[in-house]
Amino acid sequence: MKLEGNEGHGGAKTSSRKRTASESKRDESPTDRKRSKDGERDKKEETELKHKAKHSSSKHPRKPLQEPKITSSGGLKAVSENNHADVKTKGVAMDASLPSEKNTIDLNNNISAKHTESDERKVIKTEIREVDLFAPIEHSDMERSDKKSKKTGHSQKDNKHKHKSKSSKKGHHGTDERNPEQRKVGEISANSSDGNSKKRKSKDSCETDVLPTSDSKKETAVKKENAKKEREKKDRSGKDTKTTGKKKPEGKEESRKKKKDGDDGKSKKGGKKEGEDSTWKWWEEGNSNNGIKWTTLEHKGPLFPPEYEPLPNNVSFFYNGNPIKLTLPAEEVATFYAKMLDHEYTTKSSFQENFFTDWREEMTVEEREQIKKLSKCDFTHINKYFLDKSEEKKAMTKEQKQVLKEENNKLTEEYGFCELDGHREKIGNFRVEPPGLFRGRGEHPKMGKMKKRIQPEEITINCSKGSNIPVPPKGHRWRKVQHDNTVTWLASWVENVQGNFKYVMLNPSSKLKGEKDWQKYEVARKLKLKVETIRRLYREDWKNREMKTRQRGVALYFIDKLALRAGNEKEESETADTVGCCSLRVEHITLHQEKGGQEFMVEFDFLGKDSIRYYNEVPVEGRVFKNLKLFMENKEPEDDLFDRINTTYLNKYLNQSMPGLSAKVFRTFNASTTLQEQLNKLTTADMSLEEKLLSYNRANRAVAILCNHQRAAPKTFEKSMQNLQDKIAQKQQQLDVAKNELKEARKEHKKGGTERTRKLVEKTESVVKRLEEQLKKLQLQMTDREENKVIALGTSKLNYLDPRISVAWCRKFNVPIEKIYNKTQRDKFAWAIDMTEEDFQF
């Protein structure tokens, strides 16, 4: 016989067909049989209770009856919270879900101790014991965030009741654990303060259906007291002097007040207030690692640059001293070069050659016959025209600039935002790059080539099905419209110079970018637990008989210890001659048996990413030195040092050692570890704010040096340093004068001590102290600026350093986060700022 009866401990569902006594005894569980004894008594009161339920004024929302199933022992909740607190306090990069899941299973086993353990339960317990600590990305702060979001979800329901006293808490089954007198007083006072909100009544009436009927008489007495108290309150306020038994409509003012109170309660937990742009705390919703990036995505498409405006008739291009009127395509390319006439790029031969070649392709046959040499071209008149326009723009009035700003804001509002999963997210680069001349980094072989104007026919749009597809410019169409929710870009195209894909992506502060950053730093934290094993393995590889394995071990040693980039394969002469670890050539290293009093020295000299020179002399272990000699035997300078391996092979090996691990993760791991160690070493609580900031910059500088983040000294560096030195000299002079005045004041006070001389001494001492602090601050600024002359701190801070390290440091040492991250950076790392406590350690 199929029954629709009791569904485990948590259900209150019963069959609509009446059962016989034998069926009840045979089919019902012990819990249901116990419950059925009370059913006959409860049945008499059921009709009356349902009739009066809508008038219930119970303050606490009642939980469904299945809730006691989980919390009846009173142990699971406490254990879970303790586990959560431990993970939050220690900041260890482990799967925080393991302890709580184990405890859940143990509790369920206690509840069902009378029953035989199923095979499925045994399998689950085995899986938990054998769970891989290095499984992709769900641990530590992510688990903590998931718990926090669940907690927040429950707390929002009761947010309107935050003013209740702690003594009014209820038991797990929704019943009140206080004595009747306390409960009566508590509910009366609560109802009198909350009023008769319609929403509250409808909510409470629905929840009263699951109340145990044994307290129905007490509840009825409480309702009468509530009604009496409410009538007395209205009589005192003069709003309702007649007690007709019917509820009077609320006045506008009272409704507005109640609505406002409700909104305030919402806003405290992140709800939207009218006219307020609330932040989407996506990190509290947990992390899904199933490859799906979004559910719905809608946007307006990219914004195209304006069409070319021809030069006025009084502005001419000259060739060999003669003015020539160019066709519009040739004239537009000529303006690209004219705008850069004062730039150092136009002095480079490769830039000039590439430009002239591409420019002639845009000319007509007649123009090509006339213009044959770049050296005879005169762009000065065009250059002057654009300089004058630039000066005119600078000289615009405040009102004119405001008009331009408003126009740009309108475009940003229209094209700079998208709807992602029901939330308004900012787009990063929504403007299509205008045509111009390619510059490249360093001595790039393609510098000076023309970047052509991108047309809508070259652009692929990505959005969700059923959304409003972006409308292309009039007379054009998109290359393709797709609905791929496994990628994060909104539009893409291929640029013509290097053939690379360009994408319209979301802003760094968006959910998709933030999740990617979060995952990156979590993988780096997992590596911390595995790195010693990996180091032991690559040291063993140094003495392996196979040459490929030896090269892999030495390459991993360099990537780990020197934070070298892995290096990517590329076609010859297509890009600048930049290399990484796996693409090092014999000419890039020099071996010294002894140098500077140290043995086994290796000298590195090559161009890294963005054509930035990497030069370093480092001592290595003896076996590494011998292997390098072996790798260089019988090779020419242009031959590969690691000729048996490449980046793909290396990353595949690392991923087998730890899921998600690649050579790039070592760079993030070493950078974050260095910052954490340096901050712990350099910072003390008794430092001034300026000294703490100097310590932070020095720690960050150590990371930048490790990662070879260099920059050219700013053009205004010397001038700014001179200004700072002048300020220091002026402040020193003021301090010397103040010290002399203090000396004289003390002498005068010593001769004949009066109240006036005492106050004069105190005043002068405070002036000296203030000037000393100001001088020290200026000197610290000068030191900091000098040390950062050729070091780029921003790259490592934004891309390689776990932001939680910086946030925890700020909170521990009372440093305003604004001193470390500006507004844009705080938006980017909002997830870290919200979740990090001061005891976090990488």
Side-chain angles (χ1 to χ4, degrees):
M1 184 184 294
K2 185 178 179 180
L3 300 178
E4 297 178 338
N6 167 20
E7 296 182 354
H9 296 286
K13 188 174 179 181
T14 55
S15 174
S16 58
R17 184 181 67 82
K18 293 184 179 179
R19 301 182 183 181
T20 63
S22 61
E23 284 176 336
S24 298
K25 291 178 181 178
R26 182 178 67 254
D27 295 329
E28 289 180 351
S29 66
T31 306
D32 288 333
R33 285 198 296 271
K34 185 178 181 299
R35 201 173 282 168
S36 65
K37 292 179 181 180
D38 299 328
E40 294 177 3
R41 181 185 61 191
D42 294 344
K43 189 174 180 183
K44 297 178 181 179
E45 299 174 346
E46 184 177 4
T47 305
E48 182 183 356
L49 179 61
K50 287 183 178 180
H51 178 70
K52 294 181 179 180
K54 60 184 179 180
H55 300 296
S56 171
S57 56
S58 174
K59 282 202 59 160
H60 290 277
R62 308 297 184 186
K63 295 183 180 179
L65 283 177
Q66 61 265 28
E67 195 70 24
K69 170 190 171 184
I70 301 174
T71 59
S72 57
S73 67
L76 176 59
K77 186 174 181 183
V79 171
S80 298
E81 289 178 353
N82 287 337
N83 289 331
H84 171 70
D86 290 343
V87 173
K88 188 172 183 182
T89 302
K90 296 177 183 177
V92 178
M94 297 176 65
D95 194 333
S97 64
L98 293 179
S100 60
E101 288 175 2
K102 274 190 175 183
N103 289 326
T104 304
I105 293 172
D106 293 342
L107 181 63
N108 288 335
N109 287 339
N110 291 336
I111 291 173
S112 56
K114 295 180 181 180
H115 301 285
T116 305
E117 189 179 48
S118 65
D119 293 335
E120 184 180 359
R121 180 70 56 80
K122 291 177 181 177
V123 171
I124 293 173
K125 294 175 88 172
T126 304
E127 290 176 352
I128 289 177
R129 290 192 202 101
E130 298 176 356
V131 69
D132 184 10
L133 288 176
F134 303 100
I137 291 315
E138 188 186 351
H139 73 92
S140 185
D141 294 312
M142 291 196 169
E143 182 67 21
R144 183 190 318 161
S145 173
D146 192 28
K147 293 180 180 180
K148 186 178 178 181
S149 64
K150 291 178 182 177
K151 185 178 178 182
T152 305
H154 290 300
S155 65
Q156 283 178 342
K157 295 178 183 178
D158 298 328
N159 205 32
K160 296 179 183 178
H161 309 290
K162 288 179 79 175
H163 58 277
K164 292 183 182 181
S165 64
K166 291 183 180 179
S167 60
S168 63
K169 287 182 180 176
K170 298 190 177 182
H172 294 296
H173 295 270
T175 57
D176 206 328
E177 296 177 353
R178 299 167 296 172
N179 59 49
E181 288 77 15
Q182 287 177 322
R183 183 169 66 248
K184 184 186 291 186
V185 173
E187 292 185 351
I188 290 172
S189 62
N191 278 281
S192 64
S193 62
D194 281 349
N196 291 326
S197 170
K198 290 183 179 179
K199 290 183 180 179
R200 179 73 51 79
K201 277 194 172 279
S202 64
K203 183 178 179 182
D204 291 345
S205 65
C206 294
E207 291 162 351
T208 309
D209 291 344
V210 298
L211 285 173
T213 56
S214 58
D215 289 333
S216 60
K217 293 182 179 179
K218 297 175 183 178
E219 293 290 337
T220 305
V222 171
K223 288 174 202 169
K224 291 180 180 179
E225 286 292 334
N226 290 343
K228 183 179 178 182
K229 190 75 177 178
E230 190 65 22
R231 285 196 297 271
E232 290 175 359
K233 181 182 175 182
K234 289 182 178 180
D235 290 339
R236 285 195 301 268
S237 62
K239 290 182 180 178
D240 188 11
T241 53
K242 295 180 181 180
T243 54
T244 57
K246 294 182 180 180
K247 185 180 177 181
K248 242 186 141 179
E250 294 177 340
K252 291 183 180 179
E253 188 175 343
E254 190 175 352
S255 291
R256 279 199 301 270
K257 186 177 178 182
K258 290 183 180 180
K259 188 176 180 181
K260 184 179 178 182
D261 291 340
D263 289 343
D264 287 342
K266 257 187 179 180
S267 65
K268 287 178 184 177
K269 286 291 180 184
K272 275 191 178 181
K273 255 186 169 181
E274 192 171 349
E276 207 176 89
D277 185 18
S278 62
T279 303
W280 178 19
K281 294 189 176 183
W282 48 264
W283 52 91
E284 294 182 351
E285 298 176 4
N287 179 53
S288 58
N289 200 25
N290 56 3
I292 303 301
K293 306 298 183 182
W294 45 263
T295 305
T296 60
L297 175 62
E298 184 174 311
H299 55 93
K300 290 277 188 171
L303 178 62
F304 291 89
E307 293 296 324
Y308 172 67
E309 293 183 8
L311 294 172
N313 293 329
N314 61 339
V315 179
S316 300
F317 163 75
F318 290 82
Y319 183 76
N320 202 18
N322 299 317
I324 296 179
K325 184 64 179 176
L326 299 171
T327 56
L328 288 183
E331 182 183 280
E332 182 179 11
V333 180
T335 61
F336 299 158
Y337 192 87
K339 290 176 181 178
M340 296 181 62
L341 205 58
D342 298 328
H343 202 285
E344 62 177 344
Y345 272 100
T346 55
T347 63
K348 298 180 180 181
S349 58
S350 56
F351 188 92
Q352 295 173 355
E353 290 170 9
N354 289 329
F355 160 71
F356 195 64
T357 301
D358 285 1
W359 186 27
R360 284 177 61 81
E361 290 179 4
E362 300 298 319
M363 297 178 185
T364 62
V365 177
E366 294 78 9
E367 288 171 338
R368 288 195 203 104
E369 291 176 355
Q370 284 182 297
I371 305 170
K372 294 184 178 180
K373 289 185 178 180
L374 182 62
S375 59
K376 294 184 178 181
C377 297
D378 184 0
F379 299 94
T380 54
H381 288 259
I382 303 176
N383 176 260
K384 186 177 182 305
Y385 168 73
F386 285 108
L387 287 176
D388 291 341
K389 285 193 72 174
S390 178
E391 291 300 323
E392 287 176 10
K393 190 173 182 180
K394 290 178 182 177
M396 289 172 62
T397 63
K398 188 177 180 181
E399 291 74 17
Q400 290 173 324
K401 289 180 181 179
Q402 184 62 31
V403 171
L404 286 178
K405 185 179 179 181
E406 289 175 359
E407 290 176 358
N408 285 329
N409 288 341
K410 286 180 182 178
L411 292 174
T412 302
E413 282 296 317
E414 184 177 1
Y415 293 94
F417 293 88
C418 70
E419 285 291 326
L420 179 80
D421 294 344
H423 295 272
R424 191 168 185 257
E425 290 276 64
K426 195 173 183 181
I427 301 173
N429 54 330
F430 61 89
R431 298 176 191 269
V432 174
E433 190 177 6
L437 300 181
F438 179 73
R439 301 186 185 188
R441 303 268 188 171
E443 298 297 327
H444 201 288
K446 291 192 174 184
M447 65 169 66
K449 293 188 72 64
M450 189 183 75
K451 296 186 294 184
K452 295 182 179 179
R453 185 179 292 272
I454 304 298
Q455 299 296 338
E457 286 75 11
E458 303 172 61
I459 292 180
T460 299
I461 296 294
N462 191 34
C463 59
S464 57
K465 289 183 180 179
S467 65
N468 294 324
I469 296 174
V471 180
K474 192 173 181 180
H476 293 274
R477 59 179 179 80
W478 302 119
R479 175 181 174 272
K480 180 183 176 184
V481 176
Q482 66 179 42
H483 313 290
D484 187 357
N485 62 0
T486 63
V487 297
T488 59
W489 52 267
L490 283 61
S492 70
W493 62 90
V494 179
E495 54 89 20
N496 65 291
V497 177
Q498 300 188 88
N500 294 331
F501 276 93
K502 296 286 185 179
Y503 299 97
V504 172
M505 308 286 282
L506 292 182
N507 189 272
S509 62
S510 65
K511 174 190 176 183
L512 297 182
K513 290 285 189 179
E515 274 188 340
K516 190 175 180 182
D517 280 347
W518 190 3
Q519 291 175 2
K520 175 176 70 174
Y521 295 121
E522 284 299 293
V523 173
R525 292 184 76 198
K526 286 180 179 179
L527 176 58
K528 185 177 181 180
L529 303 177
K530 196 81 170 177
V531 70
E532 290 304 324
T533 302
I534 293 172
R535 286 171 178 167
R536 178 174 51 79
L537 291 175
Y538 73 57
R539 285 173 183 275
E540 291 175 1
D541 290 343
W542 296 344
K543 48 191 176 183
N544 195 286
R545 291 184 177 181
E546 187 180 7
M547 183 64 70
K548 184 176 183 179
T549 305
R550 285 197 181 199
Q551 290 190 2
R552 182 185 71 196
V554 174
L556 283 176
Y557 172 77
F558 286 156
I559 288 170
D560 181 21
K561 294 301 181 184
L562 303 179
L564 295 183
R565 291 184 175 89
N568 297 311
E569 296 178 0
K570 56 196 176 188
E571 296 180 12
E572 291 290 332
S573 72
E574 283 298 308
T575 57
D577 184 23
T578 59
V579 297
C581 184
C582 292
S583 52
L584 284 172
R585 298 193 293 270
V586 173
E587 61 186 339
H588 293 141
I589 69 167
T590 306
L591 303 180
H592 303 280
Q593 188 72 31
E594 184 179 352
K595 187 176 181 180
Q598 290 183 304
E599 287 186 327
F600 309 128
M601 294 292 291
V602 179
E603 181 183 340
F604 293 87
D605 192 357
F606 59 89
L607 289 182
K609 185 180 178 182
D610 296 335
S611 296
I612 295 176
R613 183 189 181 196
Y614 181 91
Y615 182 84
N616 199 4
E617 294 180 356
V618 291
V620 299
E621 298 191 30
R623 194 169 289 278
V624 173
F625 192 84
K626 291 177 183 178
N627 278 321
L628 289 173
K629 274 187 174 181
L630 184 64
F631 301 158
M632 296 171 71
E633 282 182 0
N634 303 319
K635 287 184 181 180
E636 297 298 322
E638 62 273 11
D639 291 339
D640 288 334
L641 179 65
F642 301 110
D643 56 335
R644 307 290 180 93
I645 63 172
N646 56 36
T647 306
T648 305
Y649 164 75
L650 204 62
N651 285 334
K652 186 176 180 181
Y653 168 77
L654 289 173
N655 193 61
Q656 291 172 350
S657 302
M658 181 187 120
L661 181 61
S662 66
K664 189 176 181 179
V665 177
F666 275 93
R667 195 168 167 85
T668 305
F669 161 74
N670 281 310
S672 294
T673 302
T674 301
L675 179 72
Q676 186 73 76
E677 291 173 352
Q678 289 295 314
L679 287 178
N680 293 344
K681 178 182 177 182
L682 298 174
T683 319
T684 56
D686 59 346
M687 286 181 170
S688 66
L689 178 61
E690 288 73 24
E691 288 174 323
K692 291 173 183 175
L693 292 175
L694 180 62
S695 297
Y696 181 86
N697 286 339
R698 282 178 170 167
N700 195 356
R701 192 177 304 115
V703 175
I705 292 170
L706 175 71
C707 297
N708 197 41
H709 292 151
Q710 301 180 29
R711 65 170 182 174
K715 294 179 181 179
T716 59
F717 178 78
E718 295 300 332
K719 185 179 178 181
S720 63
M721 286 296 286
Q722 186 60 50
N723 292 337
L724 199 51
Q725 287 173 357
D726 293 342
K727 288 182 180 180
I728 290 174
Q730 186 180 359
K731 194 65 67 177
Q732 183 66 57
Q733 190 176 8
Q734 293 175 0
L735 179 60
D736 292 339
V737 172
K739 283 183 176 179
N740 289 332
E741 291 177 354
L742 177 59
K743 190 175 180 181
E744 293 297 327
R746 283 175 175 170
K747 281 183 180 179
E748 186 180 349
H749 182 63
K750 192 174 182 181
K751 287 179 181 179
T754 64
E755 185 67 18
R756 183 188 65 81
T757 56
R758 185 184 64 79
K759 287 184 178 179
L760 182 62
V761 170
E762 290 178 353
K763 183 179 179 181
T764 315
E765 283 177 345
S766 64
V767 170
V768 170
K769 186 177 180 181
R770 185 177 71 252
L771 288 172
E772 284 177 342
E773 289 175 353
Q774 291 173 352
L775 179 62
K776 186 177 180 181
K777 184 177 180 181
L778 289 171
Q779 289 171 339
L780 289 172
Q781 286 180 8
M782 186 173 178
T783 303
D784 196 24
R785 197 171 297 179
E786 180 65 39
E787 291 177 354
N788 292 335
K789 180 179 178 180
V790 292
I791 301 295
L793 300 182
T795 306
S796 54
K797 186 192 289 187
L798 295 180
N799 300 300
Y800 291 99
L801 300 179
D802 191 330
R804 292 170 292 186
I805 301 172
S806 300
V807 174
W809 177 82
C810 286
R811 290 190 169 146
K812 182 176 181 180
F813 294 101
N814 297 318
V815 177
I817 293 179
E818 295 78 10
K819 296 289 185 181
I820 303 299
Y821 295 126
N822 60 31
K823 177 65 169 65
T824 303
Q825 293 164 352
R826 292 198 299 275
D827 291 341
K828 174 182 171 70
F829 296 132
W831 58 273
I833 293 172
D834 184 68
M835 70 168 59
T836 308
E837 301 295 337
E838 67 175 42
D839 55 357
F840 174 88
Q841 291 284 312
F842 181 76

